[in-house]
């Protein structure tokens, strides 16, 4: 088995020029989901490339932009099945003046490829396709069955993905889930996470008189801004506790393994505070306790508040409208739709039945247990390929529908998220880039994960 792996890794090196051309080809095809520019064309391109590699691939419709789905089977008996999530859509390139190279040119300068999507996430995605090519060209059987889910809406919040996954749960059955996205941290070590925060984003609107009034009328007419302030003060007090009934009931406790991972992380209060531009954290929390709060504590944040007059000069008005936007960062196993319903009931119970509540988007939290062989596979593969201990997180503070989220949607199968891009890869900014060395090692990383997964985990018939 070791000799077979070495044969495949050598094939990765021999085929690197073809892999580079493949990445250029995909980067040169725009796929901007927020503007629906080139997304379907990119989906068809990926299907063509996958078919050439022997993958059974097709474009599958959603309520929005399409998913590209493909699968390829291992001939090995009892081979486990790995479902891999990536996204092929990208952010808009604007402002164009921030680019030194054409954003969809995929130009290579000094062994660095520049272009939108080189790291986020077409470079990460291509690592899996080129891993399939390396196994094929080396004449080595795939060690596991592979199912590929390429999302066309990730940069727009993946609004159609939950419905698509629920409609195709049987198709997606697997023994583990994986995603590649983004890149390394400043230490130039691979990062691996085993979860992500959930999100509920809402707007609350309060109304008063039909139009803004002279502020002297505040003696007689209710001010919607005050009503909104009073409601928010009931929702969360100075102690920081969120007062929605049952808000904390579903939260999954932090395990000893997860706490241990935090303790080994090298968390640095001073570095974090310097980066955030603050002198201390809320309640004076520090050290590993601060890191645990960041990853495992839900929030209710006022993201915006609008009412009245704040322009130049004096204008004393009684506003007729007030609105705020709240985002709740949620942790496993909180349900954003349950939180939304509870918030509606909370407002009604506090005399705010007339407040409008708009759901502006939600994402389910995800977290996979660390005591499973797949977590060890991804960590050990990173060590083998990069020769360093990876940065690991038991879950993430940000939100997203990627590999660990998909694992949760498929019944809680083991899952992990990682990425192969270089540090400071300029995600969502001008001059996004991928070094050719990171790309090559990313293909080797995919190959090694698959090899270890095939050796250590037996299939369940997925």
């Amino acid at each position: 088995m070791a000799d077979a792996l070495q044969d495949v890794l050598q094939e990765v090196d021999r085929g690197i020029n073809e892999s580079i051309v493949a990445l250029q080809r995909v980067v040169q095809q725009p796929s901007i989901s927020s503007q629906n520019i080139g997304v379907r064309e990119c989906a068809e391109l990926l299907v063509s490339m996958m078919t050439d590699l022997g993958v059974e691939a097709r474009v599958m419709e959603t309520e929005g932009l399409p998913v590209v789905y493909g699968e390829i089977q291992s001939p090995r008996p009892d081979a486990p099945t790995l479902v891999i999530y990536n996204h092929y859509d990208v952010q808009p390139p604007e402002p164009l003046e921030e680019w030194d190279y054409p954003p969809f040119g995929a130009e290579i300068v000094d062994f660095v490829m520049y272009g939108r999507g080189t790291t986020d996430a077409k470079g990460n995605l291509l690592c899996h396709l080129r891993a399939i090519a390396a196994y094929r060209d080396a004449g080595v059987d795939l060690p596991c069955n592979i199912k590929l889910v390429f999302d066309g809406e990730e940069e727009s919040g993946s609004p159609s993905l939950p419905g698509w996954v629920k409609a195709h749960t049987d198709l997606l059955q697997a023994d583990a889930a994986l995603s590649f996205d983004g890149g390394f941290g400043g230490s130039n070590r691979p990062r691996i996470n085993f979860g992500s925060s959930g999100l509920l984003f809402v707007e609350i609107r309060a109304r008063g008189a039909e139009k803004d009034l002279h502020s002297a009328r505040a003696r007689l007419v209710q001010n919607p801004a005050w009503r909104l302030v009073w409601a928010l003060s009931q929702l969360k007090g100075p102690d920081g506790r969120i007062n929605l009934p049952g808000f904390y009931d579903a939260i999954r406790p932090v395990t000893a393994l997860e706490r241990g991972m935090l303790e080994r992380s090298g968390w640095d209060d001073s570095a974090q505070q310097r980066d955030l531009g603050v002198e201390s954290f809320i309640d004076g929390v520090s050290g590993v306790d601060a890191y645990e709060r960041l990853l495992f504590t839900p929030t209710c944040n006022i993201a915006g508040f609008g009412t009245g007059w704040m322009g130049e000069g004096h204008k004393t008005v009684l506003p007729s409208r007030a609105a705020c936007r709240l985002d709740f960062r949620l942790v496993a196993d909180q349900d954003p739709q349950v939180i939304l319903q509870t918030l509606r009931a909370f407002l009604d119970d506090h005399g705010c039945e007339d407040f409008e509540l708009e759901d502006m988007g939600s994402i389910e939290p995800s977290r996979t247990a660390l005591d499973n062989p797949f977590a060890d596979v991804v960590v050990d593969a990173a060590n083998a390929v990069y020769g360093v201990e990876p940065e690991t997180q038991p879950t993430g503070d940000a939100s997203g529908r990627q590999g660990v989220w998909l694992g949760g949607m498929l019944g809680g199968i083991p899952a992990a998220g990682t990425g192969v891009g270089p540090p400071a890869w300029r995600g969502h900014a001008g001059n996004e880039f991928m070094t050719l060395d990171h790309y090559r090692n990313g293909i080797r990383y995919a190959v090694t994960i698959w090899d270890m997964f095939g050796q250590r985990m037996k299939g369940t018939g997925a």
Side-chain angles (χ1 to χ4, degrees):
M1 295 292 287
D3 289 343
L5 174 60
Q6 290 306 311
D7 289 345
V8 180
L9 294 175
Q10 290 173 10
E11 195 58 50
V12 171
D13 295 341
R14 282 194 293 267
I16 189 60
N17 289 335
E18 186 177 350
S19 296
I20 292 168
V21 170
L23 179 55
Q24 286 180 304
R25 187 180 175 195
V26 178
V27 171
Q28 287 165 354
Q29 170 58 61
S31 52
I32 307 169
S33 59
S34 63
Q35 301 169 351
N36 196 10
I37 295 175
V39 178
R40 289 186 177 275
E41 291 84 351
C42 191
E44 294 289 355
L45 172 60
L46 287 171
V47 168
S48 174
M49 296 172 73
M50 293 159 73
T51 301
D52 289 345
L53 292 171
V55 179
E56 294 183 13
R58 62 190 187 273
V59 174
M60 298 186 69
E61 296 301 328
T62 72
E63 293 180 354
L65 296 170
V67 164
V68 173
Y69 177 76
E71 57 182 60
I72 185 167
Q73 299 295 313
S74 169
R76 298 180 182 178
D78 298 325
T81 299
L82 181 63
V83 60
I84 297 171
Y85 170 94
N86 278 97
H87 69 92
Y88 66 92
D89 66 321
V90 299
Q91 286 278 329
E94 288 82 7
L96 297 178
E97 60 269 20
E98 291 188 359
W99 290 84
D100 296 322
Y101 309 94
F104 297 106
E107 292 190 12
I108 298 174
V109 179
D110 295 331
F111 304 102
V112 176
M113 185 186 300
Y114 293 91
R116 176 61 82 229
T118 46
T119 287
D120 187 17
K122 292 176 177 179
N124 277 278
L125 184 156
L126 260 293
C127 287
H128 299 295
L129 297 189
R130 298 310 301 167
I132 293 172
Y135 272 100
R136 179 199 63 185
D137 295 343
V140 175
D141 291 340
L142 281 174
C144 54
N145 306 313
I146 299 293
K147 297 181 178 181
L148 300 165
V149 176
F150 296 156
D151 182 9
E153 293 183 330
E154 194 273 347
E155 298 291 7
S156 299
S158 301
S160 305
L161 191 62
W164 183 85
V165 171
K166 289 176 182 177
H168 298 93
T169 301
D170 291 342
L171 178 70
L172 300 174
Q173 289 303 301
D175 299 294
L178 175 69
S179 59
F180 274 19
D181 197 2
F184 291 12
S187 64
N188 198 25
R189 291 188 291 156
R191 295 187 288 192
I192 304 169
N193 72 75
F194 298 97
S196 61
S197 292
L199 173 69
L200 174 63
F201 189 31
V202 301
E203 181 170 295
I204 303 174
R205 295 184 288 269
R207 300 178 181 274
E210 292 184 358
K211 59 184 178 181
D212 288 357
L213 301 174
H214 190 291
S215 65
R217 299 300 187 270
R219 299 181 177 97
L220 299 174
V221 178
Q222 185 65 267
N223 185 327
W226 273 117
R227 292 189 66 208
L228 187 54
V229 168
W230 293 329
L232 293 175
S233 70
Q234 294 293 314
L235 180 60
K236 180 179 176 181
D239 63 358
R241 186 167 180 82
I242 299 159
N243 295 319
L244 291 177
F247 182 78
Y248 297 95
D249 290 354
I251 293 176
R252 190 188 311 172
V254 180
T255 69
L257 279 175
E258 290 166 339
R259 177 74 183 191
M261 184 174 284
L262 299 183
E263 291 170 348
R264 295 189 299 273
S265 69
W267 171 271
D268 184 330
D269 285 337
S270 297
Q272 295 290 332
Q273 290 164 1
R274 188 165 54 249
D275 184 59
L276 295 170
V278 299
E279 295 182 356
S280 63
F281 298 132
I282 294 172
D283 300 328
V285 67
S286 63
V288 177
D289 291 338
Y291 196 18
E292 182 175 325
R293 178 180 291 197
L294 174 66
L295 297 184
F296 292 101
T297 302
T299 69
C300 174
N301 175 61
I302 298 176
F305 197 105
T307 189
W309 170 258
M310 288 294 290
E312 291 186 17
H314 296 283
K315 187 177 181 182
T316 52
V317 299
L318 169 60
S320 61
R321 303 287 186 271
C324 72
R325 291 183 176 177
L326 304 178
D327 67 77
F328 295 82
R329 295 288 168 173
L330 307 176
V331 299
D333 294 299
Q334 292 179 300
D335 185 332
Q337 292 309 304
V338 171
I339 303 299
L340 178 66
Q341 295 167 11
T342 306
L343 177 60
R344 177 72 269 176
F346 180 89
L347 294 173
D348 294 348
D349 291 344
H350 287 76
C352 303
E353 302 94 333
D354 59 316
F355 282 16
E356 298 175 17
L357 176 62
E358 180 184 354
D359 180 0
M360 301 186 70
S362 62
I363 298 173
E364 304 77 9
S366 63
R367 197 160 111 220
T368 196
L370 299 182
D371 54 349
N372 73 82
F374 185 64
D376 294 336
V377 161
V378 181
V379 171
D380 291 348
N383 266 300
V385 171
Y386 298 103
V388 295
E389 189 70 25
E391 299 176 11
T392 56
Q393 276 192 318
T395 189
D397 59 322
S399 305
R401 292 185 170 116
Q402 296 215 8
V404 184
W405 172 88
L406 182 58
M409 292 289 286
L410 297 176
I413 60 175
T418 186
V420 305
W425 47 273
R426 298 189 58 80
H428 297 191
N431 289 339
E432 180 183 343
F433 69 96
M434 169 71 81
T435 74
L436 301 187
D437 191 49
H438 279 85
Y439 179 43
R440 178 185 67 89
N441 280 331
I443 304 169
R444 295 169 63 90
Y445 190 20
V447 163
T448 305
I449 291 173
W450 299 0
D451 178 77
M452 291 183 177
F453 177 60
Q455 290 186 52
R456 300 182 188 181
M457 297 181 69
K458 288 188 177 181
T460 59

